[in-house]
Amino acid sequence: CAPPDAVVWPQAVGQVQELAALCYRCRVPMVPFGTGTGLEGGVNAVQGGVCFDLSRMDTIAELSLEDFSVTVEPGVTRKALNSHLRGTGLWFPVGTVRTG
């Protein structure tokens, strides 16, 4: 396991954009981190860099009961989403992520 050189905790999309632009200009690797549920080793900073800990970006932005879709920020956990969905008749089980 290789730790990053630094960790930042952006709280808004604009902050992520500014930090990403800075890393790009300085040719510093970016390592994204959402809620820590992945098993793929994506937060292993093999070339150093800056870890973008997105766990504080935890807003549930939009819920559409009609088409069973929800827009969330990367720090929203499954438990937090299910708490938000309580009372709607919907729930978010493990392994049902759809992107795109």
Side-chain angles (χ1 to χ4, degrees):
C1 179
D5 298 312
V7 179
V8 294
W9 288 268
Q11 296 179 21
V13 172
Q15 292 174 333
V16 174
Q17 292 169 331
E18 289 178 29
L19 291 164
L22 179 62
C23 286
Y24 178 78
R25 279 194 309 272
C26 296
R27 303 181 58 81
V28 173
M30 296 174 280
V31 182
F33 178 82
T35 58
T37 58
L39 300 174
E40 299 85 12
V43 295
N44 192 11
V46 294
Q47 296 178 349
V50 177
C51 176
F52 285 50
D53 185 331
L54 305 171
S55 62
R56 295 181 183 172
M57 293 180 67
D58 59 357
T59 298
I60 298 172
E62 185 179 343
L63 170 62
S64 174
L65 298 176
E66 296 77 32
D67 63 3
F68 304 105
S69 67
V70 62
T71 302
V72 300
E73 291 182 336
V76 173
T77 65
R78 180 184 53 83
K79 288 182 180 183
L81 179 56
N82 281 328
S83 178
H84 184 81
L85 293 173
R86 190 173 289 127
T88 67
L90 301 175
W91 65 293
F92 186 79
V94 176
T96 59
V97 174
R98 186 184 107 199
T99 61

